[in-house]
């Protein structure tokens, strides 16, 4: 689908033209991916914003149950998460495998994303088929670099921001504005 290709490639002008031509903003490909999901996957914040403005669904799940927030968390795209959070996207929608965006960011060792999601209110404990589980698994060797900071996030309760998490959130919000191409940031075309 043309709009998926434009969104995934970060082609903002092409995406806008396709939207003006009434391209299916919420059309899904064979894998269930929407244009918003494709842009979030590649970290194209400006394209995600344009799609949301055109009323793209940021809650549509692909066949695996993943949302744009989930894939942005897995890939470490902080600005996309901030954009989606501002649009009131859920930070807790789990995929088919029961992993949440916070769990995927933890698994992928994206410390800044984990801190950002925790500060924005993502749940640290998620339900699964057997009860509940903590998004961080301390015995998992793939999450070794998370050991240093995860206890501080849990101690803060996730939902109750610490001064450090407030500073991170302020920095993320400032960076999201600083990198706006209209302001001459690195994404300028």
């Amino acid at each position: 689908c043309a709009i998926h290709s434009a969104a995934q490639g970060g082609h903002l002008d092409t995406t806008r033209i396709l939207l003006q031509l009434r391209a299916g903003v919420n059309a899904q490909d064979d894998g269930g991916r929407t244009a918003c999901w494709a842009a979030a996957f590649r970290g194209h914040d400006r394209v995600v914003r344009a799609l949301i403005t055109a009323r793209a669904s940021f809650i549509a799940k692909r066949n695996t149950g993943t949302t744009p927030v989930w894939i942005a968390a897995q890939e470490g795209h902080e600005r996309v998460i901030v954009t989606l959070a501002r649009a009131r996207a859920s930070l807790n929608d789990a995929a088919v495998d029961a992993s949440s965006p916070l769990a995927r960011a933890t698994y992928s060792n994206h410390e800044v994303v984990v801190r950002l999601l925790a500060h924005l209110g993502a749940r640290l404990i998620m339900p699964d088929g057997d009860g509940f589980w903590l998004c961080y698994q301390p015995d998992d060797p793939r999450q070794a670099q998370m050991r240093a900071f995860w206890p501080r996030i849990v101690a803060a309760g996730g939902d109750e921001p610490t001064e450090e998490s407030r500073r991170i959130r302020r920095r993320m919000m400032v960076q999201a504005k600083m990198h706006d191409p209209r302001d001459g940031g690195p994404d300028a075309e």
Side-chain angles (χ1 to χ4, degrees):
C1 183
I3 195 159
H4 290 86
S5 296
Q8 186 162 330
H11 304 292
L12 181 60
D13 291 337
T14 304
T15 301
R16 286 182 175 153
I17 290 167
L18 290 167
L19 290 170
Q20 289 172 352
L21 295 172
R22 306 232 188 268
V25 70
N26 291 316
Q28 293 181 299
D29 67 9
D30 291 342
R33 292 175 289 265
T34 62
C36 189
W37 191 99
F41 173 62
R42 294 291 187 207
H44 300 303
D45 178 57
R46 291 183 65 214
V47 174
V48 169
R49 281 189 269 159
L51 290 164
I52 289 172
T53 300
R55 301 191 188 273
S57 173
F58 46 78
I59 61 171
K61 293 184 175 188
R62 65 169 292 198
N63 299 352
T64 58
T66 60
T67 63
V69 171
W70 191 98
I71 196 63
Q74 175 179 295
E75 299 300 316
H77 300 307
E78 305 97 19
R79 291 185 309 167
V80 172
I81 293 168
V82 169
T83 295
L84 292 164
R86 284 180 179 161
R88 304 205 192 295
S90 171
L91 303 175
N92 296 308
D93 285 345
V96 172
D97 68 359
S99 64
S100 68
L102 182 62
R104 285 315 295 176
T106 301
Y107 181 81
S108 300
N109 291 310
H110 295 302
E111 180 178 345
V112 173
V113 172
V114 170
R115 290 175 187 268
L116 176 66
L117 286 167
H119 176 73
L120 292 174
R123 283 183 263 165
L124 301 179
I125 299 174
M126 293 292 291
D128 69 5
D130 300 323
F132 293 89
W133 58 279
L134 186 63
C135 290
Y136 166 65
Q137 304 300 317
D139 297 327
D140 187 337
R142 294 168 293 197
Q143 296 180 10
Q145 75 185 67
M146 293 294 165
R147 287 190 186 112
F149 79 92
W150 190 261
R152 292 189 303 250
I153 291 173
V154 173
D159 295 313
E160 188 148 340
T162 63
E163 185 54 41
E164 180 180 14
S165 66
R166 283 188 192 97
R167 189 181 77 251
I168 290 168
R169 183 166 189 248
R170 280 192 302 269
R171 183 179 59 138
M172 296 308 302
M173 295 299 191
V174 167
Q175 285 179 344
K177 289 191 181 276
M178 281 181 11
H179 294 289
D180 190 325
R182 292 170 294 187
D183 298 332
D187 290 339
E189 295 176 340

